[in-house]
């Protein structure tokens, strides 16, 4: 069977480097190096991979040509989230991550090209030496799209066995488990989880939460708003409160904004927090401490994560061995 027949082209922009690697019987990084004329790959292997790429209609982009001539000494940081009035870009996520990234990259002599998913095909992004993606998107869609660029890529999120790549993120399972342990200590029995589990990080938080509950996980109801905003938390909880026979005494929300919105809906329904309902959020944003009542939340070390993301992408650009890494989390107990 020919290489062309064995490949499964992507409907938008052709095969990915993973497809080329499978056909050639090599690793994805070898394909990336071969397409960039790296001396770490033999001439024979380079020619073989280039021939396969041409047969499969692989799209050679501007960045690949630039890398054959020299580096741009820039890294594109792509923010997956869509800014909203109640979830602006000035929020700790992604601002703290960006602070750590910028500090590390500028120290290394690299400029940062900050952009969104809508602008990844523009020359400044395509001409970068590598990309950092903040947020994997629903079902990993953002990751799949950026991987097709052929640039070295590091992702902030949760590792996925079905999605190869270098990932830096918090220990979402442990974070979720710490929330379950807190509710068990409080004697809470009817639990809600609020978050879109189509996102890998949220799925991991929910999984850790469920596992730690053990036999009690059957008492969990999952609500799945499609945004991570205050409004989404409020609307989701209000809709649930409108239902008959709703009984719950604890809420774990996948972000602080979702948790704050849920609290507003709960209090407007004449229920008390934490008297009748305990609520825990995620991220430990500055707003969590100043919210009334002060929000208990899982802390993520976002600035440290940003520094790690930058170190990893620099390693990939320099063709060094790089591995994914997980940061610890910590439950910060306040009034809710």
């Amino acid at each position: 069977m020919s290489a062309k027949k064995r490949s499964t082209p992507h409907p938008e922009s052709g095969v990915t480097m993973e497809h080329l690697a499978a056909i050639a019987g090599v690793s994805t990084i070898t394909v990336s190096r071969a397409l960039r004329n790296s001396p770490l790959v033999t001439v024979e292997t380079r020619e073989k991979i280039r021939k396969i790429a041409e047969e499969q209609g692989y799209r050679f982009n501007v960045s690949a040509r630039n890398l054959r001539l020299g580096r741009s000494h820039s890294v594109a940081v792509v923010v997956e989230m869509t800014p909203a009035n109640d979830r602006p870009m000035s929020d700790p996520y992604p601002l703290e991550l960006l602070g750590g990234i910028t500090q590390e990259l500028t120290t290394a002599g690299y400029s940062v090209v900050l952009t969104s998913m809508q602008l990844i095909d523009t020359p400044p992004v395509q001409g970068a030496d590598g990309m950092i993606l903040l947020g994997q998107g629903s079902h990993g869609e953002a990751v799949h799209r950026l991987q097709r660029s052929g640039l070295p890529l590091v992702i902030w999120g949760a590792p996925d066995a079905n999605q190869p790549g270098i990932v830096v993120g918090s220990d979402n399972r442990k974070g979720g488990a710490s929330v379950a342990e807190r509710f068990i200590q409080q004697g809470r029995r009817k639990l809600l989880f609020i978050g879109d589990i189509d996102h890998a990080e949220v799925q991991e938080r929910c999984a850790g939460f469920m596992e730690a509950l053990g036999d009690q996980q059957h008492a969990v109801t999952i609500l799945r708003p499609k945004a991570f905003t205050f409004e989404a938390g409020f609307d989701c909880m209000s809709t649930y409160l409108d239902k008959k026979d709703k009984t719950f005494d604890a809420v774990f929300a996948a972000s602080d904004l979702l948790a704050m919105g849920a609290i507003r809906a709960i209090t407007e329904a004449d229920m008390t927090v934490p008297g009748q309902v305990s609520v825990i959020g995620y991220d430990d944003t500055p707003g969590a401490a100043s919210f009334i009542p002060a929000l208990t939340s899982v802390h993520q070390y976002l600035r440290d994560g940003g520094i790690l993301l930058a170190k990893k992408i620099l390693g990939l650009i320099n063709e060094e061995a790089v591995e994914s890494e997980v940061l610890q989390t910590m439950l910060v107990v306040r009034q809710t």
Side-chain angles (χ1 to χ4, degrees), residues 19 23 29 54 85 92 100 115 145 158 186 207 257 268 273 285-286 318 329:
H19 290 127
I23 295 168
I29 190 63
E54 290 172 0
N85 289 335
T115 190
R145 188 175 173 194
Q186 293 177 315
L257 286 174
E268 287 190 5
V273 176
T285 58
N318 292 321
T329 60

Side-chain angles (χ1 to χ4, degrees), residues 54-333:
E54 290 172 0
E55 291 175 348
Q56 298 300 309
Y58 183 84
R59 186 177 64 186
F60 288 84
N61 56 34
V62 175
S63 62
R65 291 195 297 270
N66 287 345
L67 282 165
R68 287 198 294 271
L69 299 173
R71 294 178 179 173
S72 66
H73 281 85
S74 68
V75 170
V77 179
V78 182
V79 181
E80 184 274 332
M81 67 174 277
T82 301
N85 289 335
D86 54 356
R87 195 190 183 206
M89 292 283 285
S90 57
D91 267 7
Y93 176 86
L95 202 56
E96 285 192 36
L97 284 170
L98 289 170
I101 290 168
T102 303
Q103 172 188 314
E104 193 68 24
L105 289 180
T106 54
T107 300
Y110 278 72
S111 60
V112 176
V113 179
L114 178 60
T115 190
S116 64
M117 290 297 298
Q118 292 80 7
L119 298 174
I120 62 171
D121 291 325
T122 57
V125 178
Q126 290 293 305
D129 293 335
M131 285 194 279
I132 295 173
L133 174 61
L134 304 184
Q136 291 158 289
S138 179
H139 300 292
E141 290 172 358
V143 178
H144 295 310
R145 188 175 173 194
L146 263 63
Q147 284 178 332
R148 295 198 293 270
S149 72
L151 286 170
L153 174 66
V154 178
I155 305 150
W156 171 264
D160 184 345
N162 299 316
Q163 194 177 77
I166 303 301
V167 179
V168 173
S170 294
D171 192 337
N172 291 286
R173 280 187 177 251
K174 184 176 179 182
S178 68
V179 176
E181 290 162 5
R182 174 69 177 171
F183 286 158
I184 291 171
Q185 290 171 1
Q186 293 177 315
R188 304 294 181 173
R189 291 290 181 265
K190 299 289 185 178
L191 316 175
L192 296 182
F193 177 86
I194 301 179
D196 184 359
I197 56 176
D198 286 340
H199 290 258
E201 289 178 275
V202 177
Q203 187 178 65
E204 286 291 291
R205 291 166 196 175
C206 185
F209 181 60
M210 294 289 203
E211 288 171 3
L213 288 172
D215 293 339
Q216 197 175 330
Q217 62 183 270
H218 68 276
V220 178
T221 299
I222 299 178
L223 309 181
R224 299 177 60 175
K226 291 300 181 182
F228 294 86
T229 62
F230 181 99
E231 183 179 16
F234 178 85
D235 291 344
C236 181
M237 181 56 67
S238 295
T239 299
Y240 183 75
L241 287 166
D242 286 340
K243 295 180 179 180
K244 294 180 180 180
D245 302 323
K246 77 275 182 194
T247 56
F248 65 99
D249 57 11
V251 176
F252 174 27
S255 77
D256 286 347
L257 286 174
L258 285 173
M260 293 174 191
I263 290 172
R264 177 65 60 83
I266 291 167
T267 55
E268 287 190 5
D270 295 324
M271 299 172 71
T272 61
V273 176
Q276 292 173 272
V277 182
S278 178
V279 181
I280 297 179
Y282 210 101
D283 291 333
D284 188 30
T285 58
S290 59
F291 192 73
I292 299 175
L295 179 66
T296 297
S297 183
V298 178
H299 181 78
Q300 296 196 88
Y301 296 91
L302 295 176
R303 185 175 172 278
D304 293 342
I307 292 172
L308 269 178
L309 286 165
K311 288 181 180 292
K312 303 291 185 183
I313 194 62
L314 290 173
L316 288 179
I317 290 169
N318 292 321
E319 300 184 344
E320 299 169 357
V322 176
E323 295 181 352
S324 296
E325 193 160 342
V326 177
L327 290 81
Q328 294 300 305
T329 60
M330 177 178 66
L331 182 66
V332 179
V333 176

